[in-house]
Amino acid sequence: MDKLSDQQLFKQFSYINGSWHSSETQLEVTNPATGECIARVSNSGITETNMAIKAAKNAFKMWSEKSANERAKLMRNWFDLLMQHQDDLARILTLEQGKPLNEAKGEIAYGAAFIEWFSEEAKRVYGDTIPAPANDKRIVVIKQPVGVVASITPWNFPNAMIARKAGAALAAGCTFVARPASETPLSALAMAELAERAGIPAGVFNVVVGDDAKGMGKVLSEHPDVAKFTFTGSTAVGKILIGQCASTVKKVSMELGGNAPFIVFDDADIDAAVTGAIASKYRNAGQTCVCTNRILVQQNVVTEFTEKYTQAVTKLNVGDGTIEGISIGPMISKKAAKQVDKLVDESIKAGAKLVYGGKFDSAGDNFYQPTILTHVNNDMPIASNEIFGPVSPIISFADEHQAIQLANDTEYGLAAYFYSRDIGRIWRVSEGLEYGMIGVNEGLISNAAAPFGGVKQSGNGREGSKYGLDDYLEIKYLCMGGI
Ligand code: ADP
C-alpha cells in the first residue's frame, strides 16, 4: 500500500452519509498471494447498515430531483477520477484480491466504463405516449427511480460488480448502499473516496463493510425502506436472499452462478478456439461466473485441440499478481484451492485423465496449477459443479445435437461459448443454448454496452446496456381524462 501515489485512496472505515465511520472492532484484510495482513478495516454491522439505509433514504429526494444532466455530470466526474487513479486502484485490487496487476487495471477500466455508460444513459430515460381507446382520454407513461437500492457483491470483482450496479442505480436517480465482500472491501472504499471527490452528495453512495454477512444481508434484503435489492454471488445465497426480499416484495435482480460450456465444433478455427478458451478459462485464475467450466470438443478434433490447448496452458505463469509476467494469481483462500483440488481428485477417481497440472502450486499456500483433464463426462464433479478455479475439463461429443444437449444439461444458464464457421450452425446453436449470453467465436464477451445476465438458476435482471436501467426504474401510467 505504501507504493500508492495517492495514499488517501487507502481507506479503512465504512462510508456512510458522506462520512468515514469507525467501529469498535476491526476485520483484517489479507493479501491472498502472501497471507499478509494488508489492512484492518472497521468492522461495521447491523447498526451501521441501518444507518446507511437511513442516509440513502434521506438523500433520495434530493438526488432523484436533480436533472438527468446534473446527475450525469457528477457521474462523469466520478468516471474521470476512477480512470485517473487506475494504477492505484488496480494495485489495491491486486493486493486484496490476487489477480495479476494487468487484469486488475482491466477491471478498473471495465468498472469505470459502466459509470461512464450510465452517466450517458441517465439522459435517455424515455417515457411513452400510447393511443388511448377513448377519444376523451390520453395515456402517458413516465419512468421514475425505484428508491433506495441495496447491494451485496462478491470478492472476485471487487470494483466492477459494484460499479455495474451503482452506475445504473445512480443514473436512474436511486441512492445506493453497497455491502462489499469482507475479503475485498478496500476497492469499494476507494471508489467511495472518489465518489466524494467527484461531488456525489452525502448519502447517495454508501459503503458498509462488515463480516456479519448474514446479519447485514438480512437487513438489506428485508428493510422496508429498501426498494430494490441486487446481488451477485452464489446461487445458494441468492436463493436465501430472494426469499428474504419476499417479505417486502422488493424488486430483485440476481447475478448468480454459472457452468459455462465452451464448444469447439470440427469446422472451427482450432487455433482461435484455443486462444478463446484460454482467455475465458484462466482469467482471474478461473474465478469468474462466466469462466469456461466445461470444454466440449467434437470427437474428430479432440486430439488436435487438446494438444494445442495444452501447449498454450504450459505458457501460463503462476505467481503473485504484483510480479510482471504473471498470468495466474492465487485462489482467494486456501479453502477455495482445496475445494478445486477435491473436484480434480474426485473426477480422476471417476475416470478422468490428468493431462497437465493437478496439484497445489509451489508459489504459495493459495495457488493451484493450471490443470487439464480429459475423458471427462457431464456427471463428474468437475463438470457438474462450478469450478471457480484454473481447471479445464475436456468432454468429447459426437454431433451438434449432442453438444447442445450436454451444454444445456445444467441448472445454470449464464454464459456459453462456441466456435464454428458454419453460418447455419451458428444460428441453430445460438438459439438452442439456454444461456443469457453467448460468445460466438469469442471468449471475452462482457462490456458496458452489452446486457449481462443469466437465465435458469443463474439469476434474473440485466446489468449494463440500454436494458440495465430497467431494473432501477418503475413504470408509471398516467391516464389523462376529460379532454
Ligand atoms: P462467493 O462464492 O462468491 O463467495 P457467496 O454467495 O458466498 O459467493 O458470497 C457473495 C456475497 O454474499 C459475499 O459478499 C458474501 O459475504 C455474501 N453472503 C454470503 N452469505 C450470505 C448470506 N447468508 N446473506 C447475505 N449475504 C451473504
Side-chain angles (χ1 to χ4, degrees):
M1 289 297 174
D2 48 10
K3 289 198 182 140
L4 297 178
S5 56
D6 184 341
Q7 285 295 326
Q8 288 305 311
L9 294 177
F10 176 40
K11 284 284 187 293
Q12 301 184 82
F13 306 102
S14 288
Y15 182 71
I16 301 169
N17 204 22
S19 309
W20 299 98
H21 188 91
S22 65
S23 310
E24 275 166 28
T25 60
Q26 293 168 332
L27 65 84
E28 288 195 351
V29 181
T30 53
N31 178 341
T34 61
E36 187 193 345
C37 171
I38 53 168
R40 287 191 174 77
V41 181
S42 278
N43 193 8
S44 296
I46 288 173
T47 310
E48 292 84 355
T49 307
N50 278 308
M51 283 168 58
I53 293 170
K54 190 168 175 204
K57 166 107 176 145
N58 290 340
F60 175 67
K61 189 168 170 4
M62 167 275 299
W63 183 246
S64 60
E65 286 179 355
K66 281 194 185 299
S67 71
N69 264 330
E70 284 175 288
R71 287 199 299 272
K73 273 195 195 117
L74 295 172
M75 290 182 68
R76 177 78 206 189
N77 292 346
W78 195 16
F79 162 75
D80 288 338
L81 286 166
L82 289 162
M83 290 311 291
Q84 276 165 28
H85 294 87
Q86 186 181 14
D87 287 342
D88 276 352
L89 295 172
R91 170 160 283 275
I92 292 171
L93 205 163
T94 294
L95 289 176
E96 67 176 346
Q97 199 273 340
K99 69 181 59 171
L101 215 41
N102 266 346
E103 267 191 54
K105 276 183 79 169
E107 178 178 340
I108 301 304
Y110 169 78
F114 285 87
I115 307 294
E116 180 189 38
W117 173 269
F118 284 115
S119 75
E120 293 156 356
E121 284 298 294
K123 301 173 212 162
R124 298 186 193 103
V125 180
Y126 299 130
D128 237 334
T129 55
I130 300 174
N135 203 27
D136 63 342
K137 292 189 175 66
R138 299 291 182 270
I139 296 176
V140 179
V141 171
I142 61 170
K143 291 187 183 167
Q144 293 182 304
V146 293
V148 174
V149 174
S151 81
I152 294 183
T153 45
W155 48 262
N156 61 344
F157 287 91
N159 172 293
M161 293 304 101
I162 295 173
R164 270 198 332 205
K165 298 173 190 304
L170 266 55
C174 300
T175 53
F176 197 83
V177 179
R179 188 259 164 199
S182 47
E183 293 91 338
T184 56
L186 304 176
S187 294
L189 296 173
M191 289 170 80
E193 165 69 17
L194 294 176
E196 181 172 279
R197 288 188 206 172
I200 291 177
V204 172
F205 179 74
N206 306 275
V207 180
V208 201
V209 175
D211 60 10
D212 178 12
K214 277 190 191 162
M216 296 165 82
K218 208 166 152 55
V219 175
L220 293 170
S221 57
E222 292 186 348
H223 199 295
D225 288 341
V226 172
K228 180 193 163 68
F229 182 80
T230 170
F231 174 72
T232 298
S234 62
T235 296
V237 172
K239 286 178 185 175
I240 297 170
L241 293 168
I242 293 170
Q244 289 172 186
C245 285
S247 62
T248 49
V249 196
K250 289 192 201 320
K251 254 173 129 61
V252 173
S253 45
M254 293 276 147
E255 203 266 89
L256 307 175
N259 183 346
F262 187 104
I263 310 170
V264 184
F265 288 101
D266 61 3
D267 64 282
D269 176 339
I270 300 292
D271 294 325
V274 166
T275 306
I278 295 279
S280 143
K281 174 71 245 182
Y282 288 106
R283 198 158 61 100
N284 205 11
Q287 304 172 107
T288 90
C289 48
V290 293
C291 272
T292 287
N293 210 61
R294 297 169 288 156
I295 303 182
L296 311 176
V297 189
Q298 198 152 6
Q299 59 201 16
N300 50 337
V301 292
V302 75
T303 306
E304 180 191 353
F305 177 85
T306 306
E307 277 172 15
K308 288 182 167 171
Y309 188 68
T310 308
Q311 267 294 313
V313 170
T314 59
K315 298 199 181 101
L316 302 173
N317 299 322
V318 180
D320 186 327
T322 55
I323 300 167
E324 184 77 27
I326 289 299
S327 35
I328 300 191
M331 308 274 83
I332 190 69
S333 62
K334 180 78 179 170
K335 187 171 161 232
K338 277 190 180 159
Q339 173 61 15
V340 170
D341 190 54
K342 183 164 168 259
L343 293 175
V344 169
D345 275 354
E346 286 174 358
S347 302
I348 292 172
K349 284 198 188 100
K353 294 212 168 22
L354 181 66
V355 172
Y356 190 77
K359 293 197 212 52
F360 291 93
D361 194 274
S362 56
D365 267 4
N366 299 353
F367 291 84
Y368 201 78
Q369 295 175 341
T371 296
I372 302 173
L373 296 171
T374 59
H375 299 79
V376 173
N377 67 49
N378 238 13
D379 300 325
M380 290 182 186
I382 203 72
S384 56
N385 288 278
E386 188 176 25
I387 307 169
F388 244 63
V391 183
S392 301
I394 299 182
I395 301 173
S396 77
F397 64 87
D399 56 22
E400 190 181 303
H401 173 77
Q402 193 193 13
I404 294 175
Q405 180 263 319
L406 285 171
N408 288 342
D409 181 21
T410 163
E411 70 267 27
Y412 293 115
L414 193 57
Y417 310 86
F418 70 93
Y419 276 63
S420 167
R421 286 179 289 194
D422 177 319
I423 188 68
R425 169 172 279 166
I426 286 174
W427 274 107
R428 288 191 302 275
V429 176
S430 296
E431 290 171 359
L433 289 171
E434 296 163 356
Y435 287 83
M437 298 173 283
I438 316 276
V440 184
N441 297 321
E442 180 56 61
L444 295 175
I445 56 175
S446 185
N447 59 70
F452 189 106
V455 300
K456 293 161 78 176
Q457 293 191 31
S458 288
N460 51 44
R462 292 294 180 269
E463 294 184 340
S465 83
K466 68 171 180 175
Y467 306 105
L469 278 181
D470 294 348
D471 284 333
Y472 298 87
L473 293 166
E474 291 288 8
I475 286 176
K476 186 179 279 178
Y477 149 53
L478 316 180
C479 182
M480 328 272 295
I483 291 167

